[in-house]
């Protein structure tokens, strides 16, 4: 996965959740008391569809996934910062990093449950909510592509200097995670490494309903 992230800025994990766990998490979307806010993407011209931010009282599988993934992604984040000659402010534990975010005024949960129906899509964007940013995040597919929905590929677009942008489209299998670049990543250059700006989104869902879980490692 590290090699894929270095090369493409995006990499699939193996299965992180069972189909039953995926269905249980997707069903939480219909329990508004679990969320701090709901965003209508069309209203804000973010695309079409809807997503909800969990409160800090996260469902157990969501909290467990964040705790398990953070130290594994941390080694990549620190290596990338070294390549780009940037500070690496991320401490060893997620709890310490979360406390730093809150002390800086970024104290709102940024964990997302997204729901798309036919014709819905997500515009290219970055999930950056303040000065403190973790350079990697994860999206987990909660429905089965080709069975529960069609279309809805995850899109990543990398801006290249003096050249047209490069796009990557990935189907996220049910229960699997997709690790991707939050804002930019190291790209080899004549002088070592440069920062390659990246944005992500979702292609148009053709049929069915698509739910995904978004794990962001900095708060809003």
């Amino acid at each position: 996965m590290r090699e894929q992230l270095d090369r493409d800025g995006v990499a699939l994990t193996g299965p992180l959740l069972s189909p039953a766990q995926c269905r249980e998490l997707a069903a939480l979307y219909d329990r508004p008391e679990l969320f701090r806010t709901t965003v209508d993407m069309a209203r804000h011209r973010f695309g079409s569809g809807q997503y909800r931010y969990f409160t800090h009282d996260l469902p157990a599988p969501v909290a467990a996934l964040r705790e398990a993934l953070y130290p594994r992604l941390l080694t990549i984040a620190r290596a990338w910062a070294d390549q780009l000659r940037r500070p690496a402010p991320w401490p060893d534990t997620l709890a310490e990093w979360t406390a730093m975010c809150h002390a800086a005024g970024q104290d709102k949960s940024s964990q997302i449950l997204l729901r798309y129906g036919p014709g819905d899509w997500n515009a290219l964007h970055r999930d950056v909510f303040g000065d403190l940013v973790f350079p990697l995040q994860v999206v987990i597919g909660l429905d089965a592509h080709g069975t529960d929905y069609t279309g809805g590929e995850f899109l990543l677009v990398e801006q290249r200097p003096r050249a047209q942008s490069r796009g990557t489209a990935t189907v996220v299998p049910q229960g699997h995670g997709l690790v991707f670049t939050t804002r930019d990543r190291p790209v080899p250059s004549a002088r070592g490494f440069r920062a390659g700006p990246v944005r992500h989104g979702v292609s148009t869902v053709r049929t069915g309903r698509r739910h995904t879980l978004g794990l962001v490692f900095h708060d809003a």
Side-chain angles (χ1 to χ4, degrees):
M1 285 184 60
R2 170 64 190 274
E3 292 177 358
Q4 293 176 30
L5 284 165
D6 284 341
R7 184 181 66 244
D8 302 323
V10 60
L12 278 168
T13 74
L16 302 176
L17 296 170
S18 70
Q21 288 175 310
C22 290
R23 289 190 293 270
E24 290 171 2
L25 283 173
L28 297 181
Y29 200 91
D30 294 319
R31 295 179 57 189
E33 70 275 11
L34 299 176
F35 304 92
R36 66 174 178 84
T37 191
T38 299
V39 177
D40 185 316
M41 287 191 273
R43 178 183 175 188
H44 297 281
R45 302 185 71 181
F46 294 163
S48 177
Q50 197 178 79
Y51 58 86
R52 288 178 163 169
Y53 286 105
F54 282 102
T55 68
H56 284 299
D57 188 16
L58 295 172
V62 178
L65 282 167
R66 294 185 78 235
E67 290 286 348
L69 288 165
Y70 177 82
R72 290 164 169 81
L73 300 179
L74 179 62
T75 59
I76 302 173
R78 287 172 171 170
W80 281 7
D82 182 64
Q83 289 174 329
L84 292 172
R85 299 182 181 180
R86 290 177 175 174
W90 315 288
D92 290 340
T93 69
L94 180 59
E96 292 175 285
W97 172 238
T98 300
M100 288 175 60
C101 288
H102 291 189
Q106 295 176 214
D107 58 1
K108 296 178 181 178
S109 171
S110 56
Q111 312 317 305
I112 314 170
L113 193 58
L114 303 100
R115 172 181 282 178
Y116 301 85
D120 289 343
W121 55 284
N122 198 342
L124 295 172
H125 66 284
R126 298 182 178 120
D127 295 314
V128 176
F129 309 116
D131 292 335
L132 297 184
V133 178
F134 194 77
L136 293 158
Q137 58 194 88
V138 182
V139 63
I140 300 175
L142 301 181
D143 296 303
H145 186 268
T147 302
D148 297 319
Y149 71 97
T150 60
E153 295 85 2
F154 180 91
L155 303 175
L156 193 84
V157 175
E158 179 181 356
Q159 182 180 333
R160 300 184 300 162
R162 298 177 298 280
Q164 296 187 11
S165 298
R166 181 180 71 155
T168 302
T170 308
V171 171
V172 184
Q174 185 181 40
H176 292 237
L178 187 72
V179 182
F180 63 97
T181 309
T182 299
R183 180 172 58 186
D184 55 24
R185 68 182 186 89
V187 178
S189 70
R191 298 183 179 180
F193 291 90
R194 62 169 180 82
V198 172
R199 294 180 294 162
H200 66 275
V202 175
S203 71
T204 302
V205 173
R206 303 299 179 187
T207 61
R209 180 171 281 180
R210 177 189 189 270
H211 294 88
T212 53
L213 172 66
L215 302 177
V216 182
F217 295 91
H218 50 270
D219 278 345

